[in-house]
Structures are given as structure tokens and as C-alpha cells.
Amino acid sequence: MPTLPSPTSRLRLLRALLRECSYLPDAHARSYLKGHILSRYRANRHLETRDSRSHLEHTTASALPTRARDERVFNLVANARRAHSVLARANEGARKPLLKVLLYAYGRAGRRRHELMAPLRQPEVPANDAAVKALAAAKAPAQPNNLEQWSAMTPRLLALVKSQKQQSPPEVTRAALKRVEPLLPTTDIWERPLPKKREHNLRRNFFKELLERLLPPLPETEWLRLQRLVSGTTPWEGPISRRSRPPQSEKRPIAVWRPTLGLDALALQQGHRPAPRKADRPHQITSRYMRRLWGLVFAQCPLMRWDASEQRWMVQWGSTKGTAEKVREAESFLDHHLFSGVNEKGQVDKPRMPSPIRGTRIQDLPSNPGVRMRDVPAILGLIHELAAYEHASSSVEATEEKLLSTLSFPPFPSPGYARTFLLFEPAGAGPTPSSPAGIALYFPSYSTWRAQPGIWLEDLYVRQDCRGRGYGTRLLSALAKELKSMGGARLEWSVLNWNKPSIAFYKSIGAKPQDEWTTMRVDHEALDQLAEKERPITGRE
């Protein structure tokens, strides 16, 4: 057996591990891995002394305890050196080691995954005395036929299994769930009934494989924090700067833990060094880079909540739809002015002069089906312009903070009550390189007679200097396509009676006025009085 490292070198290795943990780009990973390393060191600290043999299982030979202890120490030191290598490469920005660190920190792999899985296996506590009596009166089936009757499957665990089977998260650490119930043959190879012992073993192996592929839910605080990091709502604090190294004369000798007869040493003796794989190459750690990795981890993180109204567990998975596109939009808006006028091939675009009659062709206008958070000031400005056009400027109570908390932003589905279409003028046609020309703010509705969804257009506005160019038709056409994609039945909106130009425009595109309907509204004090007049309906009366 190779010579064991001295206690001093092992202590230096511990300090090196803690030092690398302190430079990780994720705050949660820093705290979790630091505590994990310290707990592992304290759990095996008894191996530092040769006299402590009570923790070892020895039999006859007197030299066996010492040898077993040395093997244990040697394996622990080897694992610590590999962990130090992973942490060092993660701090250099290598994708595979950094992703591995994040997966361990957020419980997608390693010991923390088993810690998060433990509550799922515990039986649920009955809510009241009636539930206790019902549980005592219930008889377990002698032969469970499906997953719901399996004794080890709690309702919370069953809800998570069904949700993961339906969601199909990325297969980064765990293989996909192919089925939620075991496939049991009715007969054996001799066409005889399947033995009970064989059936029991098949169910046990299936349940074991199921637990190995299951992704445990994250605590709600961690899940929401990770969601804000992926969406960019919580800004990344940036990489932690390392302390400057001392001068050359004051440098301390650093122990090299890599074996001298490894493949790297042989390659160096031959005069060349193998290039690292692409996933292990150093990478600059930026906000965009971290959000992509967080998004990959977030797609494997479910959140479980108990719905008291439906009396069942609700599972919500982290979504990465549009995450990469949103990251590109959030990180590239500063480059818009730097590379304005240059196409994808690096060629300078020729300025396109608008037509003196119709302006720029409508199909050449850039539009975005889902506004970004940085477009909120432009949305608020268009809302004020619309209020001034309708002679109701004093009625506007909207602010940027309210819009940020009530509008829905991609990736969808996301929190919010309404969505927005923005139409921008081409570069050079407006006061800024991308001036908003119009807005359509809408939210979903429903037709009970047709049992189909619909869209209610709350506001449609085109700036006065941009009218007569087909911009309103472009916005309504985008809404019609959105409605058709969701299988909707109708697009509805309201218009002021004195707004004759808008009414004529709506009729020209096929809209029909609903003269037999009268719009009713309750707000302000009337709404408060109505809410206090009757108690809310909670169930069958």
C-alpha cells in the first residue's frame, strides 16, 4: 500500500477544500458544500489516531485493524483529492464540474438527494380523529395490484411519481420514468402461475429502480430563489475575487496531490499534454453562463404543495421554456447599439427608406410575442398616451412596479394576469433605434356555450404618428393567430361610442358590434361593499 499522507498534509487538504468552496459562484453551493465537507471530516476524525480501534470491525489477526484503518484513510484522502479537483475546475468555469457542483448542492444527486427523499417515504400523519379511525378500519390488500396499493407508496410519493412521468424532465442525472406501475407476467417460463415470491421480488426491484430515478422536491424557499435566479429577477452577485498571491519570496510550498506516474506525467515526458475535453475546459463565469446552468438544474426541481380545496398534492416543475432566449435577450440588449446596422453576416445594412404613402412594409417590422421586463417603461408610456387620447389621463394609476408584478413575461406559463404584444418601428424610422409603434394588452377569456377559450383585448393603441401604416391590423392579426393556436373561439374587446374612426376600422376587418349587450362594472367602494355583503361560498350550501 502507498505511504499514507501525514496528518499535517491531510489538514492542508481540508483547508484547500474549504478554500475552493468559498470561491464557488453560487451562494447556496458555497454554504452547503462547506458544511458537508466539515461534517464528513468530523465524522471520520477518529481515524486520525491509531489507538482508536473501536470503530473498526476486526476479527482474528492483530494487524487487521491497523490495515483496515489505513485503507479507510487512504480512500478518504483519495476522494478528497478528487473533490478538490472538481471544485478547482468548477471555479475555473468548466461546465461539467460546475454543473456537478450545482446538482449536488440542490439535491439532484449525492447525499442531499437522499436527505430530500427521506420525507417522501414517511407515512402522512392523519389530520383528525376521523382519519385515524378510517386508517385503522382500512385493511391492506393481500396482493397489491397497482402502485397506489403498494404499501411503501405514500400519497405524496405517488403524486410526485405521476407528475415526473408526465413532465419528463431532462435526463441529466436520472433516467426517465418509463412507467409508474410494474409489468408483471401472469405465468413463468413453464406456463405455470407466477410464484408469489417471484412477484414480490419483481415489485421490490421495480420500486427500488423507481426511487433511483425519482427527483425529490426542493424546499419552497430554495425553489423560489432558484426561479428568481433563472429568470434574472434576482441579480447574480458575480464571481468572488480571489486574494492576491504573496510575492515569490514569501510563497509557501504547495503539496501536489496528483500521482507522478499518471497519464499526464507520461504525456509530459513525451513532450506534449493532452487537451482537456470541451466540457472540462475553463470558461469565463458570467451571468448568462450561470443562468443557463441554473436553468438546467431548475428543470429537474419540483415543488410540492398541499391543495386544501382539492385535498391532494400539487406538483410544479421548474420550466426552462424560453430560458435560453430570455437570457440572450437580457444579456444582448446592451450590444444593440454597439452592433446596430450590422446583420448576422457582419455586413453593414443599407438604410431602407420608408414609402411616402404607406411607410415601411408591414412584414418588415420587428415584433416580439412576449414582452421583456425591460420593455415595461415603454408599455407605461403607451398607456399614458392612450389615456391622453381618451381624455382620461387623471385616471391612470399604473406604475412600473405594478406592471412588473401583474404582467406575464416569458417563459410561459409565468406569474401574471395579462400578456402584451409590442410592435416596434424599424431602425431609423423612430426617435430611437427600436421605438414602440403600438401595443395590444390582452388576457384569456372563456365561452361557456362553446366550451372554448377566448381572448379579451383590454387595450389596443397605435401612436398617432404611426397610424395609417397597417400597424393596428398587424397587432390584431397576431392576436388572431394566438387565439387559433390555443383552439379559441372568439376575440372580443370594447370601444368607446364616440371613437368613430376606431369603430369604422374594426368593422372593416370583420368585427361586429354587440348592441344587445351592456358592459357592467363594479369597482372602488362598491366593490368593497359587495365583498363584505355576503360570506364567500366554500362548498355545498
Side-chain angles (χ1 to χ4, degrees):
M1 178 183 294
T3 306
L4 289 177
S6 63
T8 303
S9 62
R10 280 177 270 176
L11 186 59
R12 289 179 180 175
L13 179 57
L14 172 64
R15 292 174 178 173
L17 286 169
L18 297 177
R19 186 183 306 111
E20 292 297 336
C21 287
S22 63
Y23 294 122
L24 289 174
D26 183 84
H28 176 70
R30 288 196 299 267
S31 60
Y32 170 74
L33 290 179
K34 179 181 178 181
H36 175 70
I37 291 172
L38 289 175
S39 64
R40 293 285 294 164
Y41 176 77
R42 291 163 182 165
N44 297 279
R45 196 172 183 179
H46 62 276
L47 299 175
E48 293 292 337
T49 60
R50 290 184 177 269
D51 297 334
S52 300
R53 299 181 181 179
S54 59
H55 300 272
L56 300 173
E57 297 181 0
H58 55 281
T59 55
T60 56
S62 59
L64 181 60
T66 302
R67 182 177 180 180
R69 186 195 67 84
D70 292 345
E71 290 180 355
R72 175 65 175 165
V73 172
F74 184 81
N75 293 333
L76 289 174
V77 172
N79 293 336
R81 290 174 179 174
R82 285 191 290 267
H84 179 269
S85 177
V86 172
L87 292 174
R89 287 181 291 143
N91 288 326
E92 292 176 355
R95 183 181 182 276
K96 187 175 180 180
L98 184 53
L99 180 60
K100 184 177 181 180
V101 168
L102 294 177
L103 292 173
Y104 270 73
Y106 287 98
R108 304 305 95 190
R111 174 168 295 188
R112 186 155 192 257
R113 176 183 173 273
H114 295 281
E115 296 175 355
L116 294 176
M117 286 289 297
L120 299 177
R121 300 292 306 277
Q122 297 177 358
E124 298 182 0
V125 179
N128 47 39
D129 295 340
V132 174
K133 295 180 181 179
L135 184 63
K139 296 182 179 180
Q143 299 296 334
N145 296 322
N146 53 50
L147 201 62
E148 197 166 357
Q149 295 174 344
W150 187 246
S151 59
M153 187 67 67
T154 62
R156 185 181 182 187
L157 185 60
L158 181 61
L160 180 61
V161 169
K162 293 181 178 179
S163 176
Q164 183 170 335
K165 175 65 171 59
Q166 182 180 6
Q167 181 70 19
S168 298
E171 301 178 23
V172 179
T173 57
R174 306 288 160 184
L177 290 178
K178 298 181 180 180
R179 60 183 64 91
V180 297
E181 295 184 0
L183 296 178
L184 299 177
T186 56
T187 60
D188 57 10
I189 58 175
W190 293 283
E191 297 299 330
R192 292 181 298 187
L194 190 68
K196 303 300 181 182
K197 184 65 175 179
R198 176 61 176 165
E199 181 181 356
H200 173 76
N201 292 338
L202 289 176
R203 291 183 182 277
R204 182 187 60 185
N205 294 337
F206 168 79
F207 188 69
K208 180 180 178 182
E209 182 182 0
L210 183 71
L211 293 181
E212 286 295 328
R213 298 187 178 189
L214 203 60
L215 295 170
L218 266 184
E220 185 172 359
T221 54
E222 291 186 29
W223 195 90
L224 294 176
R225 175 186 175 276
L226 191 57
Q227 182 188 41
R228 291 191 294 267
L229 289 173
V230 173
S231 62
T233 307
T234 300
W236 178 49
E237 66 272 13
I240 299 178
S241 59
R242 290 180 176 266
R243 293 182 300 177
S244 58
R245 295 185 177 181
Q248 187 69 23
S249 59
E250 300 180 6
K251 278 188 176 181
R252 298 179 179 179
I254 300 177
V256 179
W257 297 306
R258 183 173 296 176
T260 57
L261 294 181
L263 295 178
D264 293 346
L266 294 177
L268 288 175
Q269 293 176 4
Q270 296 176 3
H272 67 277
R273 184 172 183 175
R277 293 176 297 178
K278 185 176 181 180
D280 293 339
R281 294 175 185 172
H283 192 284
Q284 184 181 1
I285 303 178
T286 60
S287 176
R288 176 181 180 180
Y289 185 61
M290 288 301 302
R291 287 169 67 180
R292 285 182 175 177
L293 296 181
W294 280 324
L296 194 57
V297 176
F298 187 56
Q300 307 173 64
C301 295
L303 174 64
M304 299 193 69
R305 295 172 177 171
W306 174 255
D307 192 343
S309 60
E310 299 186 8
Q311 292 295 312
R312 66 187 183 96
W313 286 99
M314 306 296 294
V315 184
Q316 181 181 359
W317 289 83
S319 176
T320 58
K321 291 184 179 180
T323 300
E325 182 66 26
K326 187 173 181 180
V327 170
R328 287 193 293 269
E329 292 174 354
E331 295 293 333
S332 62
F333 74 96
L334 291 177
D335 299 335
H336 179 81
H337 302 285
L338 182 61
F339 296 100
S340 60
V342 180
N343 56 24
E344 297 178 353
K345 299 181 180 180
Q347 301 173 351
V348 178
D349 292 330
K350 295 181 180 180
R352 184 174 295 171
M353 300 302 295
S355 170
I357 300 176
R358 295 291 297 174
T360 308
R361 291 184 301 166
I362 192 66
Q363 59 265 27
D364 295 333
L365 288 176
S367 64
N368 66 334
V371 297
R372 297 155 294 197
M373 292 184 179
R374 63 186 179 90
D375 294 322
V376 167
I379 295 174
L380 183 59
L382 292 173
I383 291 176
H384 281 287
E385 291 187 22
L386 173 61
Y389 175 75
E390 295 182 352
H391 312 291
S393 299
S394 59
S395 301
V396 177
E397 300 178 0
T399 61
E400 293 186 9
E401 291 75 14
K402 288 185 177 181
L403 293 176
L404 284 171
S405 60
T406 55
L407 290 182
S408 182
F409 302 94
F412 300 117
S414 65
Y417 304 98
R419 298 185 183 182
T420 308
F421 279 175
L422 276 181
L423 198 62
F424 292 87
E425 290 188 290
T432 61
S434 58
S435 298
I439 183 176
L441 197 148
Y442 65 99
F443 50 86
S445 62
Y446 190 78
S447 172
T448 53
W449 290 0
R450 299 183 181 181
Q452 286 181 282
I455 286 180
W456 178 268
L457 176 60
E458 178 66 19
D459 284 314
L460 177 69
Y461 178 72
V462 177
R463 296 172 56 190
Q464 295 187 9
D465 56 346
C466 299
R467 296 175 184 174
R469 304 177 186 177
Y471 293 175
T473 305
R474 174 68 179 272
L475 288 170
L476 289 173
S477 176
L479 286 171
K481 293 178 182 178
E482 177 79 6
L483 182 62
K484 298 295 290 184
S485 65
M486 57 190 292
R490 61 193 182 193
L491 173 64
E492 298 177 299
W493 64 93
S494 61
V495 58
L496 294 172
N497 293 329
W498 58 263
N499 197 349
K500 302 300 181 182
S502 297
I503 295 176
F505 165 67
Y506 296 146
K507 289 182 178 181
S508 66
I509 63 172
K512 299 178 181 179
Q514 305 294 315
D515 297 332
E516 66 275 13
W517 291 90
T518 300
T519 302
M520 308 298 292
R521 178 183 298 174
V522 178
D523 57 2
H524 301 304
E525 296 181 359
L527 179 62
D528 297 336
Q529 296 175 2
L530 181 62
E532 297 176 357
K533 184 170 297 184
E534 295 289 343
R535 63 183 181 90
I537 299 176
T538 58
R540 294 184 178 180
E541 296 295 329

